[in-house]
Amino acid sequence: QVRLVESGGGLVQPGGSLRLTCTASGFTLNYKAVAWFRQAPGKEREAVSCLNSHDGGSYHVDSVKGRFTIARDNAKNTVFLQMNGLKPEDTAVYYCAAEDLALGCKNYRANEYGKWGQGTQVTVSS
């Protein structure tokens, strides 16, 4: 069965850190673009960070640059999103997505990713 499962969300105080994990089963994340999206209540889903399929390149939306890092562990068929310096505006449901994409991942929108996880809630609040 083809699945993506996110984990690692939770409640954290402003300035804190979380590491989200996206684990694939039934297929390999190797040579696939993998992205993290988030959706806050009443807002559209936005791309946060992504990894290109082949060249190791990555992209981060301006609001998380310098705070979030994305990386893959091919041996574990997993992609991580390390989130530091969390802010209340980072509160959202975070989703990982994967797809065979030829160009740099920043060129693709959510509807171009075919595989999605169920999401994990991140709440940043004091």
Side-chain angles (χ1 to χ4, degrees):
Q1 184 179 5
V2 173
R3 292 183 67 193
L4 283 173
V5 178
E6 302 96 335
S7 61
L11 172 64
V12 64
Q13 292 186 343
S17 298
L18 285 173
R19 188 172 81 157
L20 304 184
T21 300
C22 173
T23 301
S25 58
F27 73 104
T28 180
L29 289 175
N30 293 3
Y31 305 116
K32 284 185 174 51
V34 181
W36 286 93
F37 290 82
R38 67 186 178 187
Q39 189 164 19
K43 294 187 177 181
E44 292 187 356
R45 190 169 297 191
E46 68 166 342
V48 177
S49 303
C50 63
L51 281 169
N52 293 343
S53 58
H54 287 81
D55 64 4
S58 63
Y59 163 81
H60 300 279
V61 70
D62 285 347
S63 60
V64 309
K65 283 181 180 177
R67 300 189 296 123
F68 290 13
T69 304
I70 187 170
R72 66 171 86 222
D73 184 333
N74 289 334
K76 296 182 178 180
N77 209 19
T78 294
V79 169
F80 302 100
L81 183 68
Q82 178 67 42
M83 306 187 296
N84 299 326
L86 283 162
K87 303 176 181 180
E89 51 264 43
D90 295 317
T91 295
V93 178
Y94 283 70
Y95 301 89
C96 72
E99 189 55 75
D100 291 308
L101 300 173
L103 301 177
C105 60
K106 69 177 182 179
N107 296 295
Y108 296 92
R109 298 186 176 187
N111 61 6
E112 295 176 283
Y113 285 84
K115 298 177 181 62
W116 288 83
Q118 81 290 349
T120 185
Q121 175 71 45
V122 171
T123 303
V124 185
S125 175
S126 54

